[in-house]
Amino acid sequence: MDKTTTLLISLLFSFTYLATSLSKNHLCNQDDKNALLKIKKALNNPHQLVSWDPESDCCSWYCLDCGDATVNYRVTALTIFAANISGQIPPEVGDLPYLEKLVFHKLTNITGTIQPTIAKLKKLRDLTLSWTNLTGPIPDFISQLKNLEILDLSYNHLSGSIPSSLSTLPKILALKLSRNKLTGSIPESFGSFPGTVPDLRLSHNQLSGSIPKSLGNLNFNVVELSRNKLEGDASMFFGANNRTTYSIDLSRNMFQFDLSKLEVPDSLGVLDLNHNGITGNIPVQWTENPLQIFNVSYNRLCGHIPIGGSLQEFDSYSYFHNKCLCGAPLDSCK
Ligand SMILES: *[C@@H]1O[C@H](CO)[C@@H](O)[C@H](O)[C@H]1NC(C)=O
Ligand SMILES: *[C@@H]1O[C@H](CO)[C@@H](O)[C@H](O)[C@H]1NC(C)=O
Ligand SMILES: *[C@@H]1O[C@H](CO)[C@@H](O)[C@H](O)[C@H]1NC(C)=O
Ligand SMILES: *[C@@H]1O[C@H](CO)[C@@H](O)[C@H](O)[C@H]1NC(C)=O
Ligand SMILES: *[C@@H]1O[C@H](CO)[C@@H](O)[C@H](O)[C@H]1NC(C)=O
């Protein structure tokens, strides 16, 4: 390259840089920027947010997304994860009114309760506050966030009962409340959701009581209830009638029901029932199902393990500790 070309190219680059940085400076909304700078300060200026420089366009900052021109480039997503950040979720998160996605994930030094100003974020579609050290209840106001599709509050220390009002969320697709200290029973209202039936993940809590019969009317794709203190009948999740259920995990509860006549949907890939008080025998129909994960150990089952399908692909640990279950992969029946 001759000198003129080099000069021209570098000039071109400088102009492009200047032009983009100038135009970008116009993108960020001043109210959003003010709120974000307060959030940064409240979190003690963590290293993770070093790009949040007041002189630059906030739409270029890390951990953020701005919407397009149709929303005047307002901040639509705030995603902070795996950082060394201590303190509470700052109230100023409620001053980002175009936020559709708010994620605080894997921040074990984040403490306190679920920030009440989140109630103002009416456009939220994804609220994920997971693997933090949040305490206190799941607030009722969450049911006012009518655009919510994902609610993930798993891996915290949340206590109290599950608000029954969560079943009024018209667009909810996933309720992930596993690994907390939630008590009380599964709300009766969870037998009806106005829109799509959400994935229900409530494992590793202290939920008790029996499952409302009405949940049997719903076609859940995923039901995870393991490691609670739930009791009684859970047969309502079975039955092949038009269901597309993929995963049922009821392990480590106190369920008692008879398996003998229950059908499993063709779609079922995961069935974990270990550590309950389930009786009866394993239906022959289950051999027709392409199960990938299967565990009925530590129950009170009896009779022959039906031969066929994937049932002999699991080892004895999927079947052991039952009352009188027999046949491959366990010892042959007497
Ligand atoms: C949490 O805070 C404590 C005390 O300041 C600190 O020692 C620890 O490294 C922090 N942990 C993480 C994951 O940031
Ligand atoms: C987190 O930050 C605290 C205080 O700034 C520091 O003492 C600690 O070593 C950090 N922890 C990690 C895991 O970086
Ligand atoms: C966060 O939770 C962990 C696990 O329960 C606990 O060991 C730790 O002390 C908690 N940290 C804070 C800052 O509360
Ligand atoms: C299954 O779906 C069909 C067609 O949508 C419907 O007519 C039938 O009543 C359903 N059966 C059950 C048991 O829900
Ligand atoms: C089934 O559950 C039992 C009891 O928790 C466990 O020991 C066993 O490893 C599990 N089997 C499989 C295949 O995961």
Side-chain angles (χ1 to χ4, degrees):
M1 261 188 281
D2 62 37
K3 273 189 180 159
T4 334
T5 324
T6 318
L7 187 69
L8 271 175
I9 288 176
S10 58
L11 265 177
L12 195 68
F13 266 107
S14 321
F15 275 124
T16 322
Y17 179 74
L18 198 66
T20 47
S21 59
L22 271 180
S23 68
K24 270 190 176 170
N25 268 331
H26 294 291
L27 291 185
C28 183
N29 175 279
Q30 195 58 44
D31 292 342
D32 288 350
K33 191 181 224 176
N34 292 344
L36 291 164
L37 289 170
K38 284 182 190 158
I39 290 169
K40 181 182 179 186
K41 188 159 175 248
L43 297 173
N44 293 313
N45 302 313
H47 175 73
Q48 180 102 350
L49 305 183
V50 72
S51 68
W52 292 21
D53 170 4
E55 303 304 317
S56 64
D57 172 25
C58 76
C59 291
S60 70
W61 294 357
Y62 288 173
C63 309
L64 290 183
D65 283 326
C66 285
D68 59 18
T70 61
V71 291
N72 290 319
Y73 306 103
R74 300 297 298 254
V75 172
T76 53
L78 174 60
T79 304
I80 303 181
F81 67 95
N84 188 352
I85 292 180
S86 299
Q88 308 210 352
I89 297 176
E92 290 82 5
V93 295
D95 298 331
L96 296 167
Y98 284 73
L99 221 48
E100 293 175 14
K101 181 173 177 178
L102 177 62
V103 177
F104 280 77
H105 176 64
K106 291 211 169 173
L107 304 166
T108 48
N109 279 347
I110 288 282
T111 55
T113 56
I114 294 177
Q115 174 54 244
T117 61
I118 290 173
K120 294 195 274 178
L121 301 174
K122 301 296 186 205
K123 290 182 192 282
L124 267 193
R125 292 195 291 147
D126 177 352
L127 176 59
T128 296
L129 310 172
S130 58
W131 293 82
T132 56
N133 255 354
L134 293 174
T135 51
I138 298 176
D140 221 25
F141 74 71
I142 289 180
S143 62
Q144 301 305 313
L145 304 173
K146 296 298 182 196
N147 288 301
L148 216 53
E149 293 168 5
I150 295 169
L151 176 64
D152 184 355
L153 304 175
S154 51
Y155 289 87
N156 282 294
H157 297 120
L158 300 171
S159 53
S161 54
I162 299 173
S164 60
S165 59
L166 292 181
S167 71
T168 65
L169 288 167
K171 297 182 183 169
I172 195 73
L173 300 176
L175 279 171
K176 303 183 183 182
L177 310 177
S178 298
R179 305 252 179 184
N180 279 290
K181 294 175 175 165
L182 300 171
T183 52
S185 50
I186 297 174
E188 181 78 43
S189 64
F190 278 25
S192 119
F193 287 86
T196 310
V197 178
D199 292 352
L200 194 59
R201 299 180 195 263
L202 308 176
S203 298
H204 282 258
N205 279 291
Q206 292 155 25
L207 300 171
S208 57
S210 50
I211 298 185
K213 286 268 174 294
S214 54
L215 268 67
N217 301 331
L218 303 185
N219 175 20
F220 288 101
N221 281 318
V222 173
V223 179
E224 286 180 5
L225 304 177
S226 73
R227 291 181 194 254
N228 280 288
K229 297 174 187 164
L230 296 162
E231 59 188 31
D233 187 12
S235 64
M236 71 285 279
F237 295 121
F238 292 77
N241 289 342
N242 295 354
R243 285 185 200 259
T244 53
T245 307
Y246 171 69
S247 174
I248 300 176
D249 184 354
L250 307 177
S251 62
R252 294 181 187 259
N253 280 285
M254 301 180 294
F255 290 120
Q256 286 184 10
F257 55 94
D258 188 334
L259 218 55
S260 309
K261 297 213 167 64
L262 299 181
E263 295 192 7
V264 289
D266 295 342
S267 51
L268 200 69
V270 177
L271 181 59
D272 197 342
L273 304 177
N274 84 73
H275 281 95
N276 280 287
I278 300 170
T279 55
N281 51 14
I282 299 174
V284 176
Q285 184 255 344
W286 292 17
T287 58
E288 293 160 23
N289 195 281
L291 287 160
Q292 286 142 32
I293 294 177
F294 179 71
N295 202 333
V296 294
S297 65
Y298 290 89
N299 277 292
R300 293 193 212 131
L301 297 169
C302 250
H304 285 76
I305 297 170
I307 298 192
S310 56
L311 289 186
Q312 275 69 40
E313 285 167 22
F314 305 102
D315 63 19
S316 58
Y317 295 105
S318 288
Y319 296 98
F320 72 154
H321 278 275
N322 271 286
K323 195 173 161 202
C324 46
L325 210 51
C326 60
L330 297 179
D331 292 344
S332 57
C333 300
K334 302 243 156 54

